[in-house]
Amino acid sequence: MEEGRLIVVSNRIPTEAAPSGGLVVALHDALKERGGVWIGNSGKRVYPEEAAHGLTQIAKTPYERYSFDLTEEEHQGFYLGYANATLWPLFHHRTDLLAVDPDQARVYREVNDRVAGLIAEVVQPGDVLWVHDYHFLPLAEALRKRGVMNRIGFFLHIPFPNPSDMPALPERKQMPDWLSSFDLIGLQTRRDVSNALDFLRDNGAEILLRGKMKYQDRTFEIASFPIGIDVDDFVEAAEAHADSGEHLRLSPGERLVLGVDRLDYSKGLPQRFAAFGEYLSHRPDPQIRATLLQIAPPSREDVEAYKDIRQELETITGRVNGEMAELDWTPIRYIRRNIEREILAGLYRRGDACLVTPLADGMNLVAKEFVAAQDGADPGVLILSHFAGAAEQMEAALMVNPYDPGETARAIEQALSMPLHERQSRHLSLMQSIRETDITWWTRTYLAALQQKAPVAAN
Ligand code: ADP
């Protein structure tokens, strides 16, 4: 039988002919290879009568791309509200920041219903659907209600919540219906799989076999598929832009510690800055100059919980720099801009260490990019939080508890004084792990499992 098309659904859709960015490129390649359709949000906000027009075709080749628009009310309720002020904090173990708002929950379901209607018009028998992320948890249920019986997969890019946090979500009782309407639920880590299995089992689902579950009359599977990067592409970009570090004008012998994150409360930035201050105050040789270059462009500034973090960071930066800076040295440099990917690759390569210290993170691709960008002959050291999804695979990093500034400070000291042979052997082992599960592995393995061509990955 001829293979059906692949239909990808994601919140944002690339609008350019040759998109960039790891995930987007991987999905673009998969769609190019087998033909298909990509459906996503245009990012435009329109009046309700315009939104009612449905899908707009934005490309025909090498595969079809369609976008839909949101109204202002939908943007507020679906995107800023339920997705990013309710689900995001819950899934990142921050129930203290979770907003409960029945109107936003209603709009979230309505947008999923509307998008399901648009997809139902495009889908053909034999097509396989791959839905991405927490914006579309109820999408498969809405599609099933419209009679779409195709295989539908889901991938959650962020952590699965701790089951003990779930009572904070008023819609928790609908979650088993939402999840079990998919055929395959892909999660980043074994820890996420274990949380999802526990939650579903406690809410009426039955575990049949490893990863296979039954809920009411539906069977579905849950497994981990740790997402990766295009390693060779990053190696090449870092080599080609190895001189990016010169822009920094560091003084001779000055050490560079990097941080690269979206400005988000899940990234542990205040704790990181405090740890760096502690490292500086206790460093054995006060002559050593180490600079923390933190690149953190703001995101979701319209969501209340994101307003404080910016101010908090500026206060800590001011305190540490005020105490430690000298006429010709600023210990924390904080850049709030996006940096071009190639330049970023070169900066990673110049880094003596990289601090990837989230309090919770689905995977964290910066950890993998930093490793790929290193010069194997003289590599920098990755300092990685236990709470990043990447920690399950990247055991050769220096692992830290991001809540403990003393421990992180000691790891910075250890990284900056690590002998070359140890840096090399850790780097080699980390390269092996990021190559094993790179982005091509991820798309192929997931799609093979979704189409039941391969047993579901280990969990
Ligand atoms: P998240 O998806 O939560 O933002 P990840 O670490 O998984 O976190 O992915 C972040 C991606 O965004 C990486 O590919 C990284 O290179 C990129 N990125 C983060 N900060 C910047 C920045 N300031 N400029 C350019 N790219 C950035």
Side-chain angles (χ1 to χ4, degrees), residues 206-269:
E206 189 189 336
I207 302 183
L208 301 175
L209 280 169
R210 227 175 44 146
K212 247 199 170 48
M213 309 214 67
K214 185 169 194 304
Y215 181 71
Q216 295 174 352
D217 57 349
R218 285 199 54 82
T219 54
F220 59 105
E221 291 182 60
I222 303 185
S224 64
F225 301 86
I227 197 167
I229 61 165
D230 183 337
V231 178
D232 290 325
D233 193 51
F234 237 88
V235 170
E236 258 171 50
E239 281 172 2
H241 292 80
D243 59 356
S244 297
E246 286 169 20
H247 297 299
L248 299 172
R249 298 180 196 281
L250 301 175
S251 42
E254 186 170 339
R255 315 303 302 278
L256 178 65
V257 180
L258 281 175
V260 178
D261 311 76
R262 247 183 337 95
L263 191 50
D264 193 295
Y265 51 78
S266 64
K267 303 290 183 182
L269 294 173

Side-chain angles (χ1 to χ4, degrees), residues 88 260-262 267 295-297 337-339 344 348 361 364-366 369:
W88 180 274
V260 178
D261 311 76
R262 247 183 337 95
K267 303 290 183 182
I295 303 172
R337 264 192 305 111
N338 266 305
I339 303 283
L344 187 61
Y348 282 141
D361 212 331
N364 196 294
L365 294 178
V366 167
E369 293 169 356

